Amino acid sequence: MVQHLFNMNLKWSEGRNGTGTIVADNLHTKISIPREMNGPGVGTNPDEMLLGAAATCYLITLAALLENAKVDLLDLSMQAEGYVDVTNGVFTYERIVHKPKIVVQNLTEREQKRINRLAEKAEQTCMISKALKGNVQIACDVQIIQG
């Protein structure tokens, strides 16, 4: 068995509306509660970081699947949305929507179906998506364009 260890050091000052920092090998930023949740809005926050983890994992997985399938890819970009519900003062991360935009050289109906299957497979096989399964709904709204 191979196991990878990731470390992060965190520091926090004051109470709920304080600020802090996170430091990892390739990440160093300020953190706080976002303005939308009545916080100071300094740096990033757990909601953005969860969305970022899910989105980057999905995008990297999708890129690998497209490469392995030898899709004639011209461009790959993505927008991601995270939806947090607030009911009776309880915050619940409900849903993430990945919106990849895939530009390919030759787009036939068969190729479009194949790319859609790969986009779905990326969501099912991404490590972060699997970790969130059963807690956060993840959907994909794929846009495939001929370049």
Side-chain angles (χ1 to χ4, degrees), residues 3 17 40 45 55 57 67 70 81 84 89 97-98 103 108 115 128 140:
Q3 208 172 37
N17 286 325
N45 58 70
C57 184
E67 178 183 51
K70 299 190 183 339
E81 299 172 343
V84 176
V97 180
H98 300 306
V103 182
T108 63
I115 292 169
I128 303 298
C140 297

Short mmCIF file of all heavy atoms in Angstrom, two decimals, residues 3 17 40 45 55 57 67 70 81 84 89 97-98 103 108 115 128 140:
data_model
loop_
_atom_site.label_atom_id
_atom_site.label_comp_id
_atom_site.label_asym_id
_atom_site.label_seq_id
_atom_site.Cartn_x
_atom_site.Cartn_y
_atom_site.Cartn_z
N GLN A 3 0.84 5.31 0.60
CA GLN A 3 0.04 6.35 1.23
C GLN A 3 0.75 7.69 1.07
O GLN A 3 1.97 7.76 1.22
CB GLN A 3 -0.13 6.03 2.72
CG GLN A 3 -1.37 6.58 3.30
CD GLN A 3 -1.59 6.06 4.73
OE1 GLN A 3 -0.64 5.89 5.48
NE2 GLN A 3 -2.83 5.80 5.07
N ASN A 17 -15.25 35.99 14.19
CA ASN A 17 -14.94 36.96 13.14
C ASN A 17 -13.46 37.33 13.07
O ASN A 17 -13.11 38.39 12.56
CB ASN A 17 -15.81 38.20 13.27
CG ASN A 17 -17.24 37.92 12.83
OD1 ASN A 17 -17.46 37.14 11.90
ND2 ASN A 17 -18.20 38.51 13.49
N PRO A 40 -15.64 38.56 8.15
CA PRO A 40 -14.83 39.66 7.64
C PRO A 40 -14.46 39.54 6.16
O PRO A 40 -14.08 40.53 5.54
CB PRO A 40 -13.58 39.63 8.51
CG PRO A 40 -13.52 38.27 9.09
CD PRO A 40 -14.93 37.77 9.15
N ASN A 45 -11.89 30.93 2.29
CA ASN A 45 -12.72 30.36 3.36
C ASN A 45 -12.97 28.89 3.07
O ASN A 45 -12.68 28.41 1.96
CB ASN A 45 -14.03 31.16 3.47
CG ASN A 45 -14.79 31.16 2.17
OD1 ASN A 45 -15.32 30.14 1.75
ND2 ASN A 45 -14.82 32.30 1.49
N ALA A 55 -13.38 21.02 -7.62
CA ALA A 55 -13.25 21.46 -9.01
C ALA A 55 -11.90 21.10 -9.61
O ALA A 55 -11.83 20.61 -10.74
CB ALA A 55 -13.49 22.97 -9.10
N CYS A 57 -9.83 18.70 -8.65
CA CYS A 57 -9.75 17.25 -8.77
C CYS A 57 -10.53 16.78 -10.00
O CYS A 57 -10.04 15.97 -10.79
CB CYS A 57 -10.29 16.58 -7.51
SG CYS A 57 -10.13 14.78 -7.52
N GLU A 67 -7.12 12.78 -22.34
CA GLU A 67 -5.81 12.44 -22.91
C GLU A 67 -5.70 10.95 -23.20
O GLU A 67 -5.27 10.54 -24.29
CB GLU A 67 -4.70 12.88 -21.96
CG GLU A 67 -3.32 12.54 -22.45
CD GLU A 67 -2.23 12.92 -21.45
OE1 GLU A 67 -2.36 12.53 -20.26
OE2 GLU A 67 -1.29 13.60 -21.86
N LYS A 70 -7.44 9.84 -26.16
CA LYS A 70 -6.90 10.49 -27.36
C LYS A 70 -7.90 11.43 -28.04
O LYS A 70 -8.01 11.47 -29.25
CB LYS A 70 -6.38 9.43 -28.34
CG LYS A 70 -5.25 8.60 -27.73
CD LYS A 70 -4.58 7.75 -28.73
CE LYS A 70 -3.51 6.84 -28.18
NZ LYS A 70 -2.90 7.09 -26.95
N GLU A 81 -19.52 25.97 -9.37
CA GLU A 81 -20.41 26.67 -8.45
C GLU A 81 -20.65 25.81 -7.22
O GLU A 81 -20.85 24.60 -7.35
CB GLU A 81 -21.76 26.96 -9.13
CG GLU A 81 -21.65 27.84 -10.35
CD GLU A 81 -22.95 27.96 -11.12
OE1 GLU A 81 -23.87 27.12 -10.92
OE2 GLU A 81 -23.07 28.88 -11.94
N VAL A 84 -24.53 26.68 -0.83
CA VAL A 84 -24.62 26.46 0.61
C VAL A 84 -25.99 26.94 1.07
O VAL A 84 -26.38 28.09 0.83
CB VAL A 84 -23.51 27.22 1.36
CG1 VAL A 84 -23.68 27.06 2.87
CG2 VAL A 84 -22.13 26.73 0.92
N GLY A 89 -30.25 28.98 10.77
CA GLY A 89 -28.91 29.25 11.24
C GLY A 89 -27.92 28.11 11.03
O GLY A 89 -26.77 28.20 11.45
N VAL A 97 -21.68 22.26 -8.78
CA VAL A 97 -21.91 22.06 -10.21
C VAL A 97 -20.63 22.39 -10.97
O VAL A 97 -20.12 23.50 -10.87
CB VAL A 97 -23.07 22.94 -10.73
CG1 VAL A 97 -23.29 22.70 -12.24
CG2 VAL A 97 -24.35 22.69 -9.96
N HIS A 98 -20.11 21.38 -11.67
CA HIS A 98 -18.94 21.56 -12.53
C HIS A 98 -19.46 21.93 -13.91
O HIS A 98 -20.36 21.27 -14.44
CB HIS A 98 -18.12 20.27 -12.63
CG HIS A 98 -17.59 19.78 -11.34
ND1 HIS A 98 -16.83 20.55 -10.48
CD2 HIS A 98 -17.70 18.57 -10.74
CE1 HIS A 98 -16.49 19.84 -9.43
NE2 HIS A 98 -17.00 18.64 -9.56
N VAL A 103 -13.25 22.19 -25.86
CA VAL A 103 -13.16 22.57 -27.28
C VAL A 103 -12.31 21.51 -27.98
O VAL A 103 -11.18 21.26 -27.58
CB VAL A 103 -12.54 23.98 -27.46
CG1 VAL A 103 -12.51 24.36 -28.94
CG2 VAL A 103 -13.30 25.02 -26.64
N THR A 108 -18.07 15.18 -33.90
CA THR A 108 -19.17 14.42 -34.49
C THR A 108 -20.13 14.07 -33.36
O THR A 108 -19.81 14.24 -32.17
CB THR A 108 -18.65 13.12 -35.12
OG1 THR A 108 -18.08 12.31 -34.08
CG2 THR A 108 -17.61 13.40 -36.20
N ILE A 115 -17.29 12.06 -25.27
CA ILE A 115 -16.77 13.08 -24.36
C ILE A 115 -17.71 13.26 -23.17
O ILE A 115 -17.26 13.40 -22.03
CB ILE A 115 -16.53 14.40 -25.11
CG1 ILE A 115 -15.37 14.23 -26.11
CG2 ILE A 115 -16.24 15.54 -24.14
CD1 ILE A 115 -15.21 15.38 -27.08
N ILE A 128 -11.92 13.47 -4.72
CA ILE A 128 -12.68 14.39 -3.87
C ILE A 128 -14.18 14.15 -4.04
O ILE A 128 -14.93 14.15 -3.06
CB ILE A 128 -12.31 15.87 -4.18
CG1 ILE A 128 -10.81 16.10 -3.98
CG2 ILE A 128 -13.14 16.82 -3.32
CD1 ILE A 128 -10.28 15.87 -2.58
N CYS A 140 -22.75 17.84 -13.27
CA CYS A 140 -21.91 18.35 -14.35
C CYS A 140 -22.80 18.93 -15.44
O CYS A 140 -23.78 18.32 -15.83
CB CYS A 140 -21.05 17.24 -14.94
SG CYS A 140 -19.89 16.55 -13.77
#
